[in-house]
Amino acid sequence: MKIALAQINPTVGDFAGNTRKILEYAARAGEQGVDLAVFPELAVCGYPPADFLEKDAFVARAEEAIAEIAAWTGEPGRPAILCGTVMPATSPVGKQVRNVAALLSGGKVSFVQQKMLLPFYDVFDEQRYFEPAAQQALTCVDGQPLAITVCEDAWNDKGFWPRQLYRVDPVENLMRQWESQPKEVAGRQRIIVNISASPYWQGKPQVRQKMLAALAERHGAFVAMVNQVGGNDSLVFDGSSLVIRPDGQLVAQAASFAEDLVFFDTEDGEAAAIDPMVDEIASTWKALVLGTRDYVRKCGFKKVLVGLSGGIDSALVAAIAVEALGAENVLGVGMPSEYSSLGSIEDARRLAKNLGVRFELLPIHDVFAQYQSTLKRLFEGTPFGLAEENLQSRIRGTLLMGLSNKFGALVLTTGNKSEMSVGYCTLYGDMVGALAVIGDVMKTKVYALSRYANREREVIPRATIEKAPSAELRPEQLDTDSLPPYEVLDPILEAYVGRYCSAEEIAEEQGIDVGLVRSLLKLVERSEYKRQQAALVLKVTRKSFGMGRRFPIAVKVQV
Amino acid sequence: MKIALAQINPTVGDFAGNTRKILEYAARAGEQGVDLAVFPELAVCGYPPADFLEKDAFVARAEEAIAEIAAWTGEPGRPAILCGTVMPATSPVGKQVRNVAALLSGGKVSFVQQKMLLPFYDVFDEQRYFEPAAQQALTCVDGQPLAITVCEDAWNDKGFWPRQLYRVDPVENLMRQWESQPKEVAGRQRIIVNISASPYWQGKPQVRQKMLAALAERHGAFVAMVNQVGGNDSLVFDGSSLVIRPDGQLVAQAASFAEDLVFFDTEDGEAAAIDPMVDEIASTWKALVLGTRDYVRKCGFKKVLVGLSGGIDSALVAAIAVEALGAENVLGVGMPSEYSSLGSIEDARRLAKNLGVRFELLPIHDVFAQYQSTLKRLFEGTPFGLAEENLQSRIRGTLLMGLSNKFGALVLTTGNKSEMSVGYCTLYGDMVGALAVIGDVMKTKVYALSRYANREREVIPRATIEKAPSAELRPEQLDTDSLPPYEVLDPILEAYVGRYCSAEEIAEEQGIDVGLVRSLLKLVERSEYKRQQAALVLKVTRKSFGMGRRFPIAVKVQV
């Protein structure tokens, strides 16, 4: 059987555009004479549609789209299509819609497999929307039986995971059904198809491949997984669709972080020459580039603004933006105050030159002085402090938003995950923006990514990489005035924010005084209110700030 | 049997404080000779604890607290305690914790009923955290059998709801068990106890009472429901704990929006003289007052800042803040620009005087002029527009945050739900603040609440109530320049934001041109990015902005 993996990048809610794309890929697959073209989970409406699933009109549009795609398969010689979509539930009890893989052939919907395992952890809310499948069934395409699963359905294998999240294993159930078929069916090559919308985080593509290989070996089956690609808000889907042979060998793989159309034949099944997975830093870079490009474009924008301080965070964000959108669509804005060093302005200017982006300088001294004069009577007798520091940051945010409103460009936020963790950032100041491009990247990883940005030539100036980090909001300020060095801080934050370790566990693990750990964790707890008003963070780790990490603010918590 | 309903206001994560409060209420109940004191769902840790439930240390602290409370019941003559808490799950599959009602008596945990129905809609995420009960059992206190349920367990009655969300009815199951008991048990008075954390929205207390009365009648049982009270972030729990007799009559009721300790005796069961439910506007007012007070105090603050424009929204928020926190803890700040009318400043000043709050005037002309001068080169040749309007709003936000940083007071945001729906508000401008006090109140309801604020004397100046709404960001600006009158707009928004009606349904329902409706709904869709960076909104309707309404931003949606 010849199958095409159609790894597409749909836009949430764009039924017309997504349908057009599906038919275009199906036609290309048909030209290669495939029997079946497979598309990702919820490809018709895009993933994740979130509460749009609660709107009847949205579900009705998905049904119209599926009818149109099904009709296309009616012409002789065209391949069957397996495609993810939302359908109304059939049960009078429970949730009102189902997440399904619909098999379209001969001009109609010929089979529907409803998703059984609905993830409801981290960024996933599927039990909020979908009624789970009560049962499953095998289906056939041109006489070849297929076991069809939707994403999470393949993620509960007893042999692979130390702890099961669900009581059933849909793959095992389907394989048991396979065995009980008449001999002429049971004897056919086993094929498990999995349609997915499986977002990227560091290490995830490797886990996915290992897990699917274990499945292939355990069940003696081909496993073909088609994953969505593209950025949708915080989530970046890496694609990396693949086919694994019954012996666990990879025989086909689609691109990572790009649309692709890949073919394989179960009769053939030769281990192909496949690119090794790129390394973690390169993957992260690609994820951030794709996430930035798709967010900006799917929001209907072309241009972005980045405040360039001369520091490494804004330099990295600008470099990512240029790769995502082109230098002509990025405007760098330097906004020095009296506490900015001359070197910083020079570094910002050099970065802009290296990147080939337009650079504008808007000094904030005069506006800052005017604010201080307006507030003088009320601030009288108080020392220069946090209020004055934040004022500078908020002036910069206001200037960027002024340019954004005037010229229709999105502001990219430049804060990193270390800063966002401890609240070393100013709400309505440097936190201003639509997208926190590196909000899930710890400062130590910001350095690694910056070196990656410079892999071919110097893009980020060496001085920017080498100087000691500083917010430059008061004379001679350094990040290390208030925080430990990032090599010490980042592992502590990773353990607390990412793995929910306790202060005692972290002190033990890192060999650091528990009092110091506790004082840092208190900063994390105290800055939750800032994170809840932050720009969307592009997720590249298992646990990022945003929808996948839900903490209340008005609490009294012991760390 | 004599039972105390202990309607307390816990703080999320404050195990020491919550335990102290539970023991204090239990002791007061003991003085009245009750057999059992009942506390709300998750009373030990506060509700909703959200992702804290995924931290082992948090769950361990809840276990310590329960052990301490259980030990208290060991002294002779003390009542048993029924209390909500989190416990580790016992199953090797599935979620790691359980939401339970723990019966504490004789110094130990004598019975545990795990919650069976886990809500996963609107603001509820319980399937994200909890393993549901696989079964239930009756228990006894002093020989009296009790059917114990946790919140949602009582909300799936076939006779009451047109559509069931769940396949089981835990109350029906328990009543069936009751029937199959030995005659001396089965013949005892039926008592259903429900511990809840059931947040307020308009009409909810009435639905809750009606639903529980239907349950009492259907099963011939006393129903005693103890609800949490207090504000936790966006949610306000109204309390309104109650006891209903087997004939559906209310026989006891605790206060709404305040802590309370109420007693009842099943032997007695006389219909008590009970205050009628307050009306919707009065309830909403109380919810907003309690929500504001608890948010500010549970965050560790005493004082708040409100920008007073002379308009009705900020006037209402200031009036609510004064009732919540006392006039001495509210600072009103007027920040006129060249487009503010003299009348507006006078109205703001009069409001402050009526409320007895300090008022400061910080004109923004000079800072505005300085920004324009800084941006002049880049803005050259463009007309005065949105960028300049928003600048003024952002200067005000920056000034308020400066005062907040300097003096340690929280900023209250003053935007209403109509504005937030259509995006008639400035991100990092008037949207600045920790809490959007009236962010779930449509403009037409803002008027109703303002009249309520004036019920005893003029607090909000008549001129503020009577003048035409205006943002005053350009000469002679009126809200009706860009929007229909609020009497027309609000029902459209309520249908779209609150009930997910389509443009066609709204046009039909409201008798309005579908083109106009569509143009307004596009504004709603286009401003989702603003709402995702908004301050927490106090929820007072079935569908408010925030955690209970989850829409993606980078979408292409047809309205």
Side-chain angles (χ1 to χ4, degrees), chain A residues 304-386:
Chain A
V304 294
L305 295 162
V306 186
L308 298 182
S309 67
I312 193 165
D313 298 318
S314 55
L316 176 60
V317 169
I320 291 167
V322 166
E323 181 155 329
L325 304 161
E328 69 283 10
N329 290 315
V330 180
L331 169 62
V333 187
M335 295 169 285
S337 78
E338 55 199 291
Y339 308 115
S340 304
S341 63
L342 274 181
S344 292
I345 304 169
E346 263 328 289
D347 295 341
R349 210 185 281 280
R350 190 168 313 122
L351 171 78
K353 190 154 172 274
N354 292 350
L355 287 170
V357 307
R358 184 178 148 204
F359 180 71
E360 293 290 348
L361 204 66
L362 295 175
I364 66 166
H365 309 71
D366 295 339
V367 176
F368 185 41
Q370 196 59 64
Y371 268 115
Q372 288 180 296
S373 150
T374 297
L375 287 162
K376 190 168 179 200
R377 190 173 48 83
L378 293 175
F379 278 17
E380 196 87 69
T382 68
F384 184 101
L386 186 67

Side-chain angles (χ1 to χ4, degrees), chain B residues 17 21 48 83 92 105 117 122 135 167 174 204 242 274-275 284 306 441-442 451 485 499 522 529 543 557:
Chain B
K21 198 182 273 279
C83 186
S105 61
L117 304 187
D122 195 58
Q135 66 233 356
R167 286 184 163 67
L174 283 166
K204 175 92 165 286
L242 48 76
I274 285 162
D275 282 346
T284 302
V306 186
V441 180
M442 291 282 183
R451 286 189 294 270
R499 290 185 280 127
K522 276 184 192 155
Y529 74 99
K543 192 53 83 177
V557 172

Side-chain angles (χ1 to χ4, degrees), chain B residues 390-436:
Chain B
N390 284 344
L391 254 180
Q392 298 165 66
S393 184
R394 295 197 175 108
I395 293 168
R396 294 187 177 115
T398 299
L399 287 170
L400 286 175
M401 288 308 296
L403 296 171
S404 169
N405 287 154
K406 188 61 92 179
F407 302 113
L410 286 182
V411 175
L412 299 181
T413 314
T414 60
N416 61 57
K417 192 177 191 176
S418 310
E419 290 172 358
M420 283 187 73
S421 297
V422 293
Y424 201 71
C425 48
T426 303
L427 201 49
Y428 324 125
D430 58 310
M431 291 180 72
V432 153
L435 189 69

Side-chain angles (χ1 to χ4, degrees), chain B residues 309-316 343-344 346-348 350-351 447 450 458-469:
Chain B
S309 67
I312 194 166
D313 298 318
S314 55
L316 177 59
S344 291
E346 261 329 289
D347 294 341
R350 190 168 313 121
L351 171 78
Y447 284 96
S450 296
E458 184 183 286
V459 174
I460 300 175
R462 183 193 274 208
T464 292
I465 296 179
E466 289 180 354
K467 70 182 166 193

Side-chain angles (χ1 to χ4, degrees), chain A residues 419-442:
Chain A
E419 290 173 359
M420 283 188 73
S421 296
V422 293
Y424 200 72
C425 49
T426 302
L427 200 49
Y428 323 126
D430 57 310
M431 292 180 73
V432 153
L435 189 69
V437 175
I438 56 169
D440 196 26
V441 180
M442 291 283 182

Side-chain angles (χ1 to χ4, degrees), chain A residues 11-14 48-52 54-55 57-58 61 89 91-96 120-129 131 163-167 232-233 294-295 298-299 358 360-363 366-367 370-371 374-375 377-379 382-388 390-391 394-395 398-399 401-403 405-407 427-428 431-434 496 500 502 525 529 532-536 543 547-559, chain B residues 11-15 48-52 54-55 57-58 61 89 91-96 120-125 127-129 131 163-167 232-233 294-295 298-299 358 360-363 366-367 370-371 374-375 377-379 382-388 390-391 394-395 398-399 401-403 405-407 427-428 431-434 496 500 502 525 529 532-536 543 547-559:
Chain A
T11 297
V12 172
D14 184 11
D51 283 8
F52 281 120
E54 297 183 350
K55 298 197 171 196
F58 190 88
R61 282 190 198 115
S91 160
V93 177
K95 296 290 181 179
Q96 314 237 16
F120 48 107
Y121 48 79
D122 194 57
V123 297
F124 301 109
D125 274 342
E126 292 199 17
Q127 300 200 2
R128 179 177 172 92
Y129 308 110
E131 185 62 18
R163 183 183 171 97
Q164 272 71 56
L165 257 181
Y166 313 92
R167 287 185 163 67
N232 284 325
D233 284 7
D294 275 357
Y295 183 80
K298 290 180 180 180
C299 281
R358 184 178 148 204
E360 293 290 348
L361 204 66
L362 295 175
D366 295 339
V367 176
Q370 196 59 64
Y371 268 115
T374 297
L375 287 162
R377 190 173 48 83
L378 293 175
F379 278 17
T382 68
F384 184 101
L386 186 67
E388 287 79 4
N390 285 344
L391 253 179
R394 293 197 176 106
I395 293 167
T398 299
L399 287 170
M401 289 306 297
L403 295 171
N405 287 155
K406 187 60 91 179
F407 302 112
L427 200 49
Y428 323 126
M431 292 180 73
V432 153
Y496 191 66
Y500 295 168
S502 68
E525 292 303 333
Y529 73 99
Q532 288 199 20
Q533 292 189 37
L536 283 179
K543 191 53 84 176
M547 270 298 286
R549 197 175 174 283
R550 303 174 190 173
F551 283 91
I553 296 176
V555 301
K556 196 166 171 184
V557 172
Q558 206 184 316
V559 294
Chain B
T11 296
V12 172
D14 185 11
F15 292 102
D51 283 8
F52 281 122
E54 297 183 349
K55 297 196 171 197
F58 190 87
R61 283 192 196 114
S91 161
V93 178
K95 295 290 181 180
Q96 313 237 17
F120 203 51
Y121 48 79
D122 195 58
V123 297
F124 301 109
D125 274 342
Q127 301 195 11
R128 180 176 171 91
Y129 308 111
E131 185 61 18
R163 182 183 171 98
Q164 273 72 57
L165 257 181
Y166 313 92
R167 286 184 163 67
N232 285 324
D233 284 5
D294 276 356
Y295 183 79
K298 289 180 181 180
C299 281
R358 184 178 147 204
E360 294 289 349
L361 203 65
L362 295 175
D366 297 337
V367 176
Q370 197 57 64
Y371 268 115
T374 297
L375 287 161
R377 191 174 47 86
L378 294 175
F379 279 18
T382 69
F384 183 101
L386 187 67
E388 287 78 5
N390 284 344
L391 254 180
R394 295 197 175 108
I395 293 168
T398 299
L399 287 170
M401 288 308 296
L403 296 171
N405 287 154
K406 188 61 92 179
F407 302 113
L427 201 49
Y428 324 125
M431 291 180 72
V432 153
Y496 191 66
Y500 295 167
S502 68
E525 292 303 334
Y529 74 99
Q532 288 199 21
Q533 293 189 37
L536 283 178
K543 192 53 83 177
M547 268 300 286
R549 197 174 174 283
R550 302 174 190 174
F551 284 91
I553 296 175
V555 301
K556 195 165 171 185
V557 172
Q558 203 184 320
V559 294

